[in-house]
Amino acid sequence: ARDIYDERDALLASVFLGVSLYHAQNSAFATTDVLTSFFLVFFLILLRRAFLRPEATSLYVLAGVALGLLVGTKYTGALAVIVAFVLYLYTVIVEVLRGQGQSRGYAGKWHLNLFLCGTVAVATFLITTPGIILHFDAFQQSIRFQVADLERYHLSKLNLATWSIVVQKLVTAVG
């Protein structure tokens, strides 16, 4: 928060996190949600800094490590890739609007660095989550079971009473 706002706002954000009942409760039970939150924020901070300094390849490598650890902690962390994709589209659109003559040449650097970030993320994920490679059949079977379990609820015909069950099943499936 200090990078984007000021010292007071960063302190206020820390206080809110410290007194958050959800965060405190999950910390006490050592759930994956706390680490997922940490790695998500860490990834977003690194990605923001990397996009502000496209020449700093090391920031993209660190962002890839953070993303790999995020996805390894909880598969839903893969949704953070959407942020990187939106930033990628932004760079492409800005380059097109500026035209070749006014370009600062950052788009090419961003493309290569994002590819590097993604490669490092996949490598980190596979290194820190070897069970997916070593026991791929069990992993596939688990995912198929969770998908079949969710299909029994006919997601298109849900009413408010069953949403809590679906959310619980989704959390179980990916957490």
Side-chain angles (χ1 to χ4, degrees):
R2 185 179 52 202
D3 284 354
I4 300 171
Y5 300 105
D6 61 6
E7 198 76 29
R8 182 182 63 89
D9 292 336
L11 183 60
L12 188 61
S14 298
V15 168
F16 283 140
L17 180 64
V19 299
S20 166
L21 180 62
Y22 180 77
H23 183 74
Q25 180 181 16
N26 280 316
S27 295
F29 294 126
T31 64
T32 58
D33 295 334
V34 175
L35 273 178
T36 301
S37 299
F38 170 76
F39 287 127
L40 175 64
V41 170
F42 188 50
F43 169 69
L44 293 175
I45 288 170
L46 289 171
L47 193 64
R48 179 185 179 276
R49 287 182 181 175
F51 267 85
L52 293 176
R53 293 182 21 211
E55 70 282 354
T57 304
S58 61
L59 287 173
Y60 286 90
V61 171
L62 285 173
V65 169
L67 180 60
L69 291 171
L70 169 64
V71 176
T73 303
K74 196 166 187 178
Y75 298 145
T76 53
L79 293 174
V81 172
I82 294 171
V83 175
F85 183 71
V86 168
L87 287 174
Y88 173 77
L89 288 179
Y90 170 78
T91 61
V92 170
I93 291 169
V94 166
E95 277 302 301
V96 168
L97 292 177
R98 283 188 183 152
Q100 295 294 8
Q102 299 173 346
S103 171
R104 295 189 300 186
Y106 285 157
K109 190 81 168 157
W110 276 325
H111 301 323
L112 291 173
N113 283 337
L114 279 176
F115 178 75
L116 177 64
C117 178
T119 304
V120 169
V122 169
T124 302
F125 172 72
L126 292 175
I127 290 169
T128 59
T129 319
I132 290 178
I133 296 172
L134 298 174
H135 305 289
F136 189 71
D137 292 338
F139 172 72
Q140 276 185 321
Q141 184 180 1
S142 171
I143 295 297
R144 281 191 204 118
F145 172 78
Q146 295 297 334
V147 168
D149 197 34
L150 285 173
E151 286 175 352
R152 284 189 293 176
Y153 292 101
H154 304 286
L155 293 177
S156 62
K157 299 176 184 179
L158 288 177
N159 59 31
L160 253 58
T162 58
W163 269 110
S164 63
I165 296 170
V166 170
V167 169
Q168 182 183 19
K169 292 292 182 180
L170 283 172
V171 168
T172 303
V174 295

